[in-house]
Amino acid sequence: MIRLHSQMVALLLTILLSFISFLSIAQSHASEEILKWEKDIAVFDSLNLVEQSDAGTLLLTGSSSIRMWDSIHGDLAPYQVMQRGYGGSKLTDFNYYAHRIIKPEQFKAIVVLIANDIAGGEGDRSPREMFKLFKALVKQIRTRNDGTPICWIETTPTPSRWHVNNQAREANELIKAYCARNHDLYFIATFDQYVTPENLPDSTFFREDMLHLNREGYKQWAEIIKVSLEEAGIKP
C-alpha cells in the first residue's frame, strides 16, 4: 500500500513537472509583442474571480474601443454587460490570452471587436491571415463556452486608417460570409453607419486621434449592437 502511494505521488509529480515545463515552453514561444499585455490580462484574472456573470450576461471584449467605452453599461441597457477590453489587442495576442479573458461558462453572447491586425503597420496581417485567426478564436471559444452565441463587430472605418480600408473590408467580408454559414455566429455590420454620403469616414464620430470613437460614436455603436442582437434573437 505504501509502495502504491509512493508511485502515485511520483506520477503526480511527473505530471506536475510536465505541465510546468509545457507552460514554460508556451511562454517562451510567445513573442514580446504578445507578452507585453500580461499585466492587463492579470487584471482580468482578478476581475473574473470577483465579478458575477451568468447566462444572462453579455460579454463585450477585444481592443481599446471596448476598454475606453466608459458609458457601456448605460448605453447597452437593459443588457447586463461584462467589459473586457485592453490596449491595441490583435487576434494573435487575444487568441493567446482568450482562456484567461473569457470565463469558461455560458454567456448570453460574446461580442468581440478586434481591429488592429490591419492598421497600416509593418506587422499587419493579410485579410486571409486575419480570417484564419478569427476561425481559430471561434474554435477556442466553442471549446470552453459551448452554446454561447459569438458576435463579431465589423471594423469601424476610421479616418486615421482609411488607407488600409480595402484590406480591412476584405477581411471582414470573409468573416461575414463565415458567420452566415455557421450556427450561433453573427456579424455586426457597422461600416455604412460611419461613412458620409461620399463614402468617406465621418470624422464627427471620432476623437481628435481620428481612431477612437467619441460620445456620439459610442451612442451610434450601442444602437447598432442592440438592434443586431435583437435581430439575432439575443434579447435582454
Side-chain angles (χ1 to χ4, degrees):
M1 190 70 179
I2 295 176
R3 179 179 301 172
L4 179 61
H5 177 72
S6 299
Q7 290 174 342
M8 290 179 66
V9 171
L11 178 60
L12 288 171
L13 284 172
T14 300
I15 293 172
L16 179 61
L17 290 171
S18 297
F19 181 67
I20 292 172
S21 176
F22 169 79
L23 288 179
S24 298
I25 292 172
Q27 192 82 347
S28 66
H29 285 179
S31 68
E32 185 177 336
E33 185 180 6
I34 290 175
L35 295 178
K36 70 181 181 181
W37 301 116
E38 177 60 36
K39 289 183 179 179
D40 297 77
I41 306 305
V43 172
F44 295 159
D45 291 336
S46 299
L47 289 174
N48 284 338
L49 293 175
V50 297
E51 283 193 358
Q52 299 299 313
S53 61
D54 53 34
T57 303
L58 186 67
L59 174 65
L60 267 82
T61 185
S63 47
S64 57
S65 291
I66 300 294
R67 177 181 60 82
M68 297 168 67
W69 195 350
D70 296 334
S71 56
I72 189 171
H73 297 283
D75 288 350
L76 291 179
Y79 287 96
Q80 175 186 329
V81 176
M82 176 175 278
Q83 183 181 20
R84 293 288 185 273
Y86 68 97
S89 66
K90 299 180 180 180
L91 277 163
T92 42
D93 48 80
F94 196 92
N95 268 300
Y96 182 81
Y97 290 115
H99 67 288
R100 292 167 60 187
I101 298 170
I102 304 171
K103 297 170 72 172
E105 62 188 30
Q106 186 173 5
F107 292 92
K108 178 171 287 292
I110 297 172
V111 182
V112 185
L113 181 280
I114 301 173
N116 297 299
D117 292 272
I118 298 175
E122 291 184 2
D124 275 9
R125 298 283 180 173
S126 70
R128 289 212 163 268
E129 286 174 330
M130 183 175 166
F131 175 50
K132 288 180 181 178
L133 287 166
F134 168 77
K135 289 195 294 182
L137 177 60
V138 170
K139 183 177 180 180
Q140 189 178 171
I141 293 174
R142 289 278 183 255
T143 300
R144 291 188 301 275
N145 306 87
D146 189 36
T148 296
I150 302 170
C151 306
W152 175 265
I153 303 176
E154 182 180 16
T155 306
T156 310
T158 63
S160 66
R161 293 181 178 174
W162 187 246
H163 58 295
V164 290
N165 173 63
N166 289 339
Q167 296 94 307
R169 293 216 74 185
E170 182 181 343
N172 278 278
E173 285 300 316
L174 290 169
I175 292 172
K176 180 180 180 180
Y178 185 75
C179 289
R181 297 193 304 269
N182 288 273
H183 177 67
D184 269 351
L185 199 56
Y186 303 97
F187 183 85
I188 299 178
T190 63
F191 185 88
D192 291 342
Q193 304 297 319
Y194 288 91
V195 293
T196 65
E198 295 75 32
N199 205 40
L200 294 172
D202 190 340
S203 61
T204 63
F205 289 118
F206 298 92
R207 303 185 187 193
E208 289 185 4
D209 62 7
M210 289 293 130
L211 175 63
H212 296 100
L213 296 172
N214 59 22
R215 183 73 192 101
E216 289 304 311
Y218 275 122
K219 285 168 65 177
Q220 179 95 309
W221 224 26
E223 187 62 26
I224 294 169
I225 292 170
K226 288 195 289 187
V227 168
S228 297
L229 291 173
E230 289 271 354
E231 290 177 347
I234 304 169
K235 302 181 184 298

